[in-house]
Amino acid sequence: MPTLAVTIAEVREQIALAKDDARLRGVTNPTVALVPTMGALHDGHLALVTRAREVGDIVVVSIFVNPLQFGEGEDLETYPRTLDADLAALDRTGPTIVFAPTAAEMYPEGRTQTKISAGHVGTLLEGRSRAGHFDGVLIVVNKLLNIVQPTSVLFGQKDGQQVFVVSRMVRDLNIPVTVEVVDTVRETDGLALSSRNTYLDERERVAARVLSAVLEAAESAAVSGIDSLIAAAQAASMGQPLVTLEYLSVVNPATFLPVDDNFHGRAQVLVAARVGTTRLIDNEFVYLGG
């Protein structure tokens, strides 16, 4: 089974022991790869762990449902917590240090007085629907980076806006870590893997395919420009009563701001929708104008 640490002192001790062991095996300067998760691990998370083994000598997986990134009325209390199953899944991937702290361990004085702002981009799209969400993400990621001191930190592309704001924080604050982004892992029908997929009943699971259909339509129409892309994507979202589209946006990946009508080149299409009572997100890169 993975080595489980539930306190900051324990995980630091386990990392130090793992580095000593690596040096005994001839690794001069052992590297550490961190995979931050909120648990309820699926194949998308395991793809991150697989990549972590390629870029790091030691793999640390954090499992922590971070209260600072949940807003009022969101699913903090009901978010799936499956530590035993998560440890069993990681056991099949090779030696791993799992850091699974409590909220009291991470925030012993409650909400931190020190704040990290995701800036303007943090108020758009997911930030508009979930005020303060990205500020909470950046706090916990910053804490994890300081606790683990990894060489690399890995995120999945499905959470595209999160990838952007974390990467920007790392650059802005000169944090000595490489951000590795792993492609979205999908079901055979195109639905992006997500811990929240477990909330979907059978009919909702079928309806959720609309998100990837929207992205497929956008990619096919992108060669004809932004207007054609949006029209095709919106058309793909219609006719499914269980799905309510929250936003469809096309941004410049370099700035995460909406592209203008004359934009040509690599763009990122982002979609969010409620499927029944479950909120799902997805995104894909396209090339506008061919």
Side-chain angles (χ1 to χ4, degrees), residues 206-220:
V206 173
R209 171 68 175 80
V210 166
L211 275 78
S212 54
V214 164
L215 296 177
E216 290 169 4
E219 185 174 20
S220 296

Side-chain angles (χ1 to χ4, degrees), residues 183-194:
D183 289 344
T184 302
V185 178
R186 300 181 180 278
E187 300 280 6
T188 55
D189 63 359
L191 180 66
L193 294 183
S194 169

Side-chain angles (χ1 to χ4, degrees), residues 64 211 223 274 280:
F64 178 60
L211 275 78
V223 67
R274 289 199 177 272
L280 300 177

Side-chain angles (χ1 to χ4, degrees), residues 11-95:
V11 74
R12 285 175 167 164
E13 179 183 11
Q14 291 302 325
I15 292 168
L17 290 172
K19 285 183 175 181
D20 288 342
D21 181 66
R23 292 187 186 99
L24 289 174
R25 291 184 283 107
V27 180
T28 304
N29 187 24
T31 56
V32 178
L34 170 65
V35 181
T37 82
M38 294 205 299
L41 303 184
H42 50 63
D43 285 347
H45 295 112
L46 300 184
L48 296 176
V49 176
T50 297
R51 177 59 180 159
R53 296 202 182 286
E54 297 172 352
V55 301
D57 300 305
I58 300 159
V59 174
V60 180
V61 177
S62 64
I63 296 177
F64 178 60
V65 181
N66 175 36
L68 298 194
Q69 67 192 70
F70 287 78
E72 186 176 348
E74 292 191 323
D75 56 344
L76 173 60
E77 299 304 322
T78 60
Y79 194 87
R81 292 164 171 83
T82 58
L83 181 58
D84 289 343
D86 294 342
L87 293 174
L90 290 170
D91 189 39
R92 299 190 292 271
T93 71

Side-chain angles (χ1 to χ4, degrees), residues 210-211 243-247 271-275 278-281:
V210 166
L211 275 78
V243 177
T244 302
L245 196 67
E246 285 200 1
Y247 64 72
V271 60
R274 289 199 177 272
V275 183
T278 303
R279 190 173 185 279
L280 300 177
I281 61 173

